Amino acid sequence: MRIFEKANKLEHVLYDVRGPVVDEATRMEEQGLNILKLNIGNPAPFGFTAPEEVIQDMRDNIVHSQGYSDSRGIFAARKAIMQYAQIKRIPNVTMKDVFTGNGASELIQLSLNALLNNGDEVLIPSPDYPLWTACTNLAGGKAVHYICDESSDWYPDLQDMESKITPKTKAIVVINPNNPTGALYPREILEGIVNLARKYELILFSDEIYDRLVMDGEKHISTASLAPDLFCVTFSGLSKSHMICGFRVGWMILSGNKAIAKDYIAGLNMLSNMRLCSNVPGQSIVQTALWGYQSVNEYIVPGGRVYEQRDFIYKALNDIPGISAVKPKAAFYIFPKVDVKKFNITSDTQFALDFLKEKRVLFVPGSGFNWKEPDHFRIVYLPQIDILEDAADKLRDFLSHYRQ
Ligand code: PLP
């Protein structure tokens, strides 16, 4: 049946929530075993909670949130997002250019569905957040992966990116800060990407959902702020910055040269109307969440949980013979490298499965992020340090005897 043909295109999508390793973990749990899950970027199970004011406001607003809203979202939410775009220096954004969604995920899918005809190509990072690849393929397009270079702090390789541009290329996807690498891109790299988009007349999609989770005093730069003459779509939301993944609050912002994208914008509006609107109770807290006191700021400085856990896992992994990792600067992921020769590893999925079965710790193999070699995996470092220490000890012990 056709639906299964389509599903086949989704190979490897969201290995953090489905696929052979997660399936095995589920089987083990059904047998009563306890699994330590380092597979998914969901802060709530690890003791991170939403700011109190956000919860309070959702409670107060829920009785007034019963009807459909404007399909792009309620005024207060869109105004707050528009003002956030001003602060991030995203140019030429009006209220009509802001769309709320049930998470950024819904809008990623919507934006690609509106854009792609069969065979159109989209440049997507490798490693990627695999939803981008899956949604591109599902919309009939072709995901073409550009390399992010581990030896350069996981920055996109601009030469590789340019070499993969063809007459069929429609857009470049930038994920900054990055999942799974935790990289934060400097201005020069972003300018390089913008220059390529300018040279080849491409749309820029910038996924900036981790923009408030930046450490070491670094500052996040919005791609769109560097491209006033190009058409850009910036994606973000409250899932990560406010630790409320379950509330499903995301948005996208159209900016820059909208005149060149008139038809596309009409398509976006049509698809937005088709889903009626995003969750209205979720929209009701956007203004509260985006402005005022930001509890996330306490997590990402020395002494804060995300910062200290990052430092711990970075050191602990690099201390294990055969493992090396670039220090993440943002988000809450690390993407370590395994010495495949030393352990004779030819399948990263097998490696993750073997570790899971022996030590009951779940992580996602690199192939789950469209990384072609079997030499990486992703760890979510949201758990407290004592739990991360236990996981690192188990990995050290496992690798002391493991050969595939
Ligand atoms: N973009 C990236 C890079 C992500 O890592 C995630 C979730 O992990 C999303 C988008 C989806 O976020 P949302 O919860 O807003 O759908």
Side-chain angles (χ1 to χ4, degrees), residues 16 41 102-106 108 129 131-132 175 177-179 207 209-210 236-240 245 248-250 333:
D16 45 356
N102 296 306
S105 305
E106 182 189 32
I108 289 171
Y129 176 61
L131 186 69
W132 281 102
I175 304 175
N178 190 269
N179 175 9
D207 180 342
I209 195 138
Y210 299 98
S236 194
L238 302 181
S239 289
K240 316 292 175 169
C245 298
R248 311 308 297 127
V249 190
Y333 310 103

Side-chain angles (χ1 to χ4, degrees), residues 216-234:
D216 307 327
E218 303 258 5
K219 214 171 161 329
H220 176 264
I221 300 170
S222 263
T223 314
S225 70
L226 306 174
D229 55 325
L230 306 181
F231 179 66
C232 298
V233 189
T234 303

